[in-house]
Amino acid sequence: MELYNYFRSSASYRVRIALALKGLNYTYLPVQLAQSEHLGESYGAVSASRLVPLLRDEGQSLTQSLAIIEYLDETHPQPPLLPATPVERARVRALALDIACEIHPLNNLRVLRYLVRDLKVSEDDKNRWYRHWVETGLEVVERQLAAALSTFCHGNTPTLADCCLVPQVFNAQRFECRLEHVPNVMRVFAACMALPAFEGTAPGHCPDAE
Ligand SMILES: N[C@@H](CCC(=O)N[C@@H](CS)C(=O)NCC(=O)O)C(=O)O
């Protein structure tokens, strides 16, 4: 397998965690987002959306981190990243989507660049925007974690939801977001980071880390 990704990309980090949890080897292919390499012709020939991550497996190109993780879960079922019952699976997917759909897209690189370059928003206001959506978005996750306490987001083993939560907290810390109001998010974050699959694939350990 080959993973096109970028060390600071939280969507890429989700997939790195899933690959590590399943003990799968892959070739790390860096795409330098900071230098806009993803917008160039060569990555454009690989990816229609020009976003990372993109996983190549068995000659197929797979995009969208959550779809990639579910693909990995179906093709390599152990350890499972989704629980056994439909209602539990719905909860885990909902937690993952609360991060991947309700927080991350508002703070993606192209959105931040549009705010600054096209709408002429100041650097300070861009950071306020970023923090606002992370802090309010994580509150939604916090309420759900507080209502059903468990070691990880759901139960005592990591799931798709944890693959999303950890990279989002990394981003939050990088942008100095407030996190005292989400103690259960931070408790689950700490439990995940105690595992090599989360720690070893963190941005700072990636081959393209600056
Ligand atoms: N929903 C997509 C999001 C992919 C995505 O937006 N990736 C970011 C990096 S985290 C990216 O490539 N951004 C480039 C840009 O915004 O120009 C997924 O989960 O894979």
Side-chain angles (χ1 to χ4, degrees):
M1 282 187 269
E2 293 177 324
L3 183 67
Y4 290 84
N5 77 130
Y6 178 60
F7 76 110
R8 267 201 186 122
S9 150
S10 58
S12 300
Y13 186 13
R14 293 173 198 153
V15 174
R16 294 197 299 268
I17 294 166
L19 285 161
L21 284 169
K22 290 185 178 288
L24 297 171
N25 291 323
Y26 59 97
T27 304
Y28 187 111
L29 299 174
V31 181
Q32 295 300 332
L33 297 195
Q35 275 100 56
S36 297
E37 191 186 342
H38 59 303
L39 304 178
E41 268 180 36
S42 109
Y43 192 57
V46 176
S47 164
S49 67
R50 298 178 185 226
L51 299 172
V52 291
L54 181 147
L55 184 77
R56 284 192 62 77
D57 188 29
E58 312 262 346
Q60 302 293 322
S61 293
L62 307 172
T63 59
Q64 288 290 347
S65 59
L66 270 53
I68 296 172
I69 294 172
E70 291 222 17
Y71 165 82
L72 292 171
D73 212 33
E74 287 171 17
T75 51
H76 303 273
Q78 294 305 324
L81 298 180
L82 285 168
T85 68
V87 73
E88 287 179 289
R89 283 199 292 279
R91 178 171 188 263
V92 166
R93 288 187 177 117
L95 283 165
L97 292 168
D98 278 331
I99 295 166
C101 289
E102 310 300 336
I103 304 176
H104 175 269
L106 288 159
N107 289 339
N108 205 353
L109 178 62
R110 58 186 166 164
V111 171
L112 301 181
R113 280 183 174 167
Y114 186 73
L115 286 174
V116 172
R117 291 179 185 173
D118 294 76
L119 302 184
K120 309 295 177 204
V121 166
S122 70
E123 203 54 31
D124 270 2
D125 282 348
K126 180 198 82 177
N127 289 336
R128 278 182 60 201
W129 165 283
Y130 193 104
R131 291 184 192 122
H132 174 77
W133 296 116
V134 171
E135 290 169 7
T136 55
L138 285 180
E139 237 173 87
V140 173
V141 176
E142 172 67 22
R143 284 198 284 274
Q144 294 173 79
L145 299 185
L149 294 180
S150 54
T151 307
F152 295 100
C153 282
H154 185 90
N156 295 323
T157 55
T159 62
L160 173 70
D162 302 287
C163 294
C164 293
L165 179 134
V166 164
Q168 189 58 63
V169 170
F170 260 83
N171 280 359
Q173 289 175 330
R174 184 167 155 239
F175 278 81
E176 298 176 349
C177 298
R178 206 162 50 82
L179 290 165
E180 320 80 69
H181 66 310
V182 292
N184 286 291
V185 167
M186 296 313 289
R187 179 183 53 74
V188 169
F189 173 74
C192 290
M193 290 309 287
L195 301 179
F198 290 82
E199 214 280 323
T201 55
H205 295 306
C206 290
D208 55 337
E210 284 158 10

